[in-house]
Amino acid sequence: MALLYLHGFRSSPQSDKALAVAQYCQTHGLNAPVMPQLPISPLESIQLCDQLIAEHAITAVCGSSLGGFYALYLAEQFGLRCGLINPAITPWVDMESANNHERYEIDELDLETKGHYVDQLKPYYTPRLSHPERFLALIGLADEVLDPQQMIHHLAAARQIIVPDGDHSMNDFGGHLTELIAFLGIEF
């Protein structure tokens, strides 16, 4: 069993959630997850993940926020089991909102990616799940960055764990890390 963990926007493999997954795997004698530093470019991020899936015989993917957006796409493309933590569903909409445009420095991203960054996300949108039984979503109702109701609605066919007081970071996985790892099929 090989797990690919994808961090969120402007985060890293050193985030609290990524480190918690790595520590959990180490403590329980599981294979270390593959945890890349994702490039800013959506295209480069997907290309890197495609390469890692092939190189490491990845069987499951887990992602948080923007990493969850990518995880949805990759799980559908490769038939992987998928764990999602407060995933972005339509990140270009979230980033273009008046509150977030400056927060996410979209104009700076446009320069880094040599194009309109948010438009580069759109090809990786997953409109529906072809095999919803392969997906588990942890959704924090107190998410202050993304709309939890959009997640609940978009992922209605998937298994969901609703965390009433879970904020966007959900660093403790809402107390459901063991359940998430078990769902992904990582065996003890």
Side-chain angles (χ1 to χ4, degrees):
M1 173 55 62
L3 173 64
L4 176 63
Y5 180 85
L6 304 176
H7 62 77
F9 183 72
R10 294 210 191 264
S11 187
S12 80
Q14 297 301 311
S15 71
D16 289 341
K17 283 190 290 292
L19 294 175
V21 169
Q23 180 63 44
Y24 185 94
C25 291
Q26 181 180 19
T27 300
H28 291 87
L30 305 172
N31 292 333
V34 176
M35 302 189 315
Q37 175 64 55
L38 295 174
I40 289 293
S41 162
L43 174 61
E44 290 174 15
S45 291
I46 293 297
Q47 289 174 335
L48 173 61
C49 290
D50 288 350
Q51 178 184 348
L52 293 171
I53 288 168
E55 285 177 12
H56 296 277
I58 298 295
T59 56
V61 61
C62 182
S64 174
S65 193
L66 185 61
F69 174 77
Y70 293 146
L72 277 166
Y73 173 80
L74 293 163
E76 280 293 316
Q77 294 300 306
F78 292 96
L80 306 173
R81 291 188 73 78
C82 183
L84 303 164
I85 304 105
N86 286 338
I89 303 300
T90 53
W92 60 91
V93 174
D94 302 318
M95 291 179 176
E96 285 280 331
S97 75
N99 293 347
N100 290 332
H101 190 86
E102 188 172 320
R103 175 184 181 173
Y104 293 124
E105 301 172 338
I106 298 300
D107 295 331
E108 179 183 314
L109 288 173
D110 289 348
L111 294 174
E112 288 180 46
T113 58
K114 298 180 179 67
H116 194 48
Y117 174 80
V118 295
D119 288 341
Q120 294 178 27
L121 292 163
K122 293 176 184 177
Y124 306 111
Y125 173 66
T126 303
R128 66 176 196 80
L129 305 178
S130 61
H131 293 279
E133 69 278 3
R134 291 194 324 246
F135 294 82
L136 170 64
L138 299 179
I139 300 171
L141 294 183
D143 190 323
E144 69 283 8
V145 176
L146 300 173
D147 179 4
Q149 294 306 315
Q150 182 189 33
M151 296 174 216
I152 290 168
H153 175 74
H154 190 77
L155 301 168
R159 182 170 169 208
Q160 297 182 7
I161 297 174
I162 305 300
V163 182
D165 60 347
D167 63 6
H168 186 69
S169 66
M170 209 175 330
N171 288 332
D172 66 351
F173 293 86
H176 297 282
L177 181 54
T178 299
E179 192 173 353
L180 176 67
I181 297 294
F183 177 84
L184 293 172
I186 299 174
E187 299 179 0
F188 297 94

